[in-house]
Amino acid sequence: MDADGVARLRAAVGRLDRRLNTAASQESGLTPTQVWVLASIVRHGSVGISELAAKEGVNPTMLSRVIGKLDDAGLIRRVPDPSDKRAALIEPTAAGRRAKERINQRRTALLAERLAALTKDQDDALAAALPALEALASDRGRP
C-alpha cells in the first residue's frame, strides 16, 4: 500500500472508531476514555494499575483518575494484591462486565447499520479484507 493509501486507511479507521465510541459512550453514560479503560480491565482481568498502564501504553496518573470514576460507578473494584499487601489490583464487577457487553452490543449494532448502507461490492470487499484487518489489529509482532 502506498503512503496515500496508508493515510486513507488510518483516517477511515480512526473516524469509524470515534463514531462507534462516541455513540456507545453517550448511551452508556461513560466517556470514551472510561469505556476504553473498562474494556481493558474486562479484557485483562485482575490487574494492577501500573501493569495495565504498561500493557496499554498510557499514563498511570490519567489511568488512576479514570479508574476512580469507574470504581465510584460500581463498574470495577479494587482488591488486595495477594503478592503485595500494600498494593491493590483492579477487576471488573458483574455490573462492569454487563456494561461492557451492552457497549459491545451497541457498537456492533451501529456498525451493522453502517454496513447495511454499503453496496454489495463494498460489503464483499470488506469481507475479503477481514483477515488482513484482523492481522493488522493483532498484538503479534507489536513492538
Side-chain angles (χ1 to χ4, degrees):
M1 186 176 295
D2 65 13
D4 182 56
V6 171
R8 288 175 58 205
L9 176 61
R10 179 201 46 79
V13 168
R15 280 191 312 269
L16 180 59
D17 188 52
R18 281 188 301 280
R19 284 185 176 154
L20 295 175
N21 282 341
T22 299
S25 68
Q26 286 172 345
E27 292 180 19
S28 70
L30 300 173
T31 67
T33 301
Q34 290 168 338
V35 168
W36 173 79
V37 171
L38 178 61
S40 296
I41 294 168
V42 169
R43 182 174 51 257
H44 292 294
S46 187
V47 64
I49 293 175
S50 296
E51 181 184 356
L52 184 62
K55 284 182 178 188
E56 298 295 343
V58 297
N59 178 306
T61 303
M62 180 279 301
L63 185 60
S64 184
R65 284 192 296 266
V66 174
I67 286 170
K69 301 273 188 195
L70 295 173
D71 191 14
D72 291 345
L75 299 174
I76 60 116
R77 68 176 155 254
R78 298 168 199 260
V79 296
D81 184 338
S83 64
D84 182 354
K85 298 300 178 197
R86 298 166 296 158
L89 300 175
I90 50 174
E91 62 185 25
T93 63
R97 289 184 188 281
R98 286 191 304 272
K100 175 62 176 101
E101 183 58 31
R102 284 190 305 275
I103 291 164
N104 282 350
Q105 289 171 353
R106 182 60 185 140
R107 287 173 54 97
T108 299
L110 289 166
L111 185 55
E113 290 172 18
R114 305 287 302 198
L115 289 169
L118 297 179
T119 66
K120 173 146 178 33
D121 287 345
Q122 290 170 325
D123 188 65
D124 290 346
L126 271 178
L130 276 176
L133 290 169
E134 289 167 340
L136 189 61
S138 80
D139 288 339
R140 293 187 306 266
R142 184 176 158 192

